[in-house]
Amino acid sequence: MDTESVRHAYRRWAPVYDYTFGQVADAGRKHAVRIINNRKGRVLEVGVGTGLSLPAYGKHLTITGIDLSPEMLEKAMGKVAKKGLDNVDGLHEMDASALGFADESFDTVVAMYVMTVVPDPVKVMRELERVCAPGGEVILVNHFSQEHGIRGFFERKLAHFADLIGWHAVFEPERILVCEDLRLVERRPLWPLGLFTMLRFVKEPGLGIGTQAARTFLASGARDIGEAEAAAPQPKAAFARRMLDLNYWRSLYRRLQSQLAER
């Protein structure tokens, strides 16, 4: 799918999204927002869609949303106005692979049901990593395909209709494990029936988990990354690089200043 195919697909979805896929995806959305509500600072929601998640965010958070579809954003803006969501700082029409924000602008970056839609998920992951502050979190909620079984069979059949349905039915998690500064810390299957998965990353420059170790972790079925990291520990050189990186310490200092100013 290219960008225009995505726009066209969600132009069709916009009028009925809240009552169709929006309902199917509700549990995953609520789970991610509950985690984010335990955090502080600025939140960027990539692929905010019709704004279903916006009323659920804590008032102590400052929310910015972006989406490629103007039709979806129009509905999100309506929710903000109707519900008086003063903590929503802005909603912008924007391509997730070229975010118009400065480096390290957000304490939390969340993308729900986005990665199987975008034409270039690697570019999107790089952008999520770039705008997230060191020590911040990147949270994904997404469908990841199975190779075997009945579900895998139907996913491969649906793959031929990606332009029509607006998302890729076949999508492996390895495709988004590309960021050297994002350390995978949690994987959680979500309702309904594990069709969607939450992946939670912490931005720790130089300590992003390698693809092979991540594959081992994801295949294990464990929720916590600790066992996978014990089996495939990060090299000491990576930790040393982080400690000697002046940009890391400058970013950490700015983040601490921001948090102190919020108290």
Side-chain angles (χ1 to χ4, degrees), residues 47-58:
V48 69
T50 63
L52 285 170
S53 59
L54 295 177
Y57 286 111

Side-chain angles (χ1 to χ4, degrees), residues 60-263:
H60 64 290
L61 299 170
T62 301
I63 311 298
T64 300
I66 71 113
D67 204 278
L68 190 64
S69 168
E71 292 82 8
M72 303 283 268
L73 281 173
E74 184 178 355
K75 291 189 173 294
M77 292 174 184
K79 289 184 176 70
V80 170
K82 182 178 180 179
K83 296 179 181 294
L85 303 178
D86 297 333
N87 62 330
V88 177
D89 187 51
L91 298 173
H92 310 279
E93 184 179 342
M94 195 178 293
D95 187 340
S97 65
L99 296 173
F101 303 111
D103 295 357
E104 304 173 4
S105 296
F106 298 94
D107 300 283
T108 308
V109 182
V110 58
M112 294 183 277
Y113 314 107
V114 167
M115 304 309 293
T116 51
V117 173
V118 296
D120 193 335
V122 172
K123 278 187 178 181
V124 173
M125 283 301 300
R126 297 287 187 195
E127 282 293 273
L128 305 189
E129 176 188 45
R130 180 182 67 80
V131 301
C132 183
E137 294 193 2
V138 173
I139 297 173
L140 305 181
V141 176
N142 208 72
H143 164 76
F144 296 107
S145 53
Q146 291 183 344
E147 293 184 11
H148 308 292
I150 295 175
R151 182 176 136 190
F153 172 80
F154 281 106
E155 286 169 343
R156 289 190 295 275
K157 293 297 182 183
L158 281 173
H160 302 292
F161 303 99
D163 286 347
L164 179 63
I165 62 178
W167 55 282
H168 293 283
V170 175
F171 192 88
E172 303 83 5
E174 288 83 1
R175 293 182 64 182
I176 49 91
L177 297 173
V178 295
C179 296
E180 293 81 4
D181 293 346
L182 293 182
R183 186 168 67 92
L184 179 61
V185 295
E186 184 181 3
R187 186 277 299 270
R188 186 178 294 270
L190 301 172
W191 179 261
L193 304 175
L195 182 61
F196 303 108
T197 300
M198 185 198 74
L199 298 180
R200 188 166 63 91
F201 301 83
V202 175
K203 185 169 181 179
E204 296 183 343
L207 294 181
I209 187 168
T211 300
Q212 184 56 50
R215 185 182 295 114
T216 300
F217 165 57
L218 292 170
S220 71
R223 290 181 175 179
D224 189 273
I225 195 64
E227 294 180 5
E229 288 187 323
Q234 298 297 312
K236 293 181 180 179
F239 179 77
R241 285 197 304 272
R242 178 190 179 193
M243 294 297 101
L244 295 173
D245 185 352
L246 292 179
N247 288 326
Y248 168 76
W249 291 107
R250 291 191 189 102
S251 298
L252 185 60
Y253 176 70
R254 289 197 298 271
R255 178 177 168 77
L256 289 172
Q257 279 188 317
S258 175
Q259 290 182 345
L260 288 172
E262 291 172 1
R263 293 183 177 180

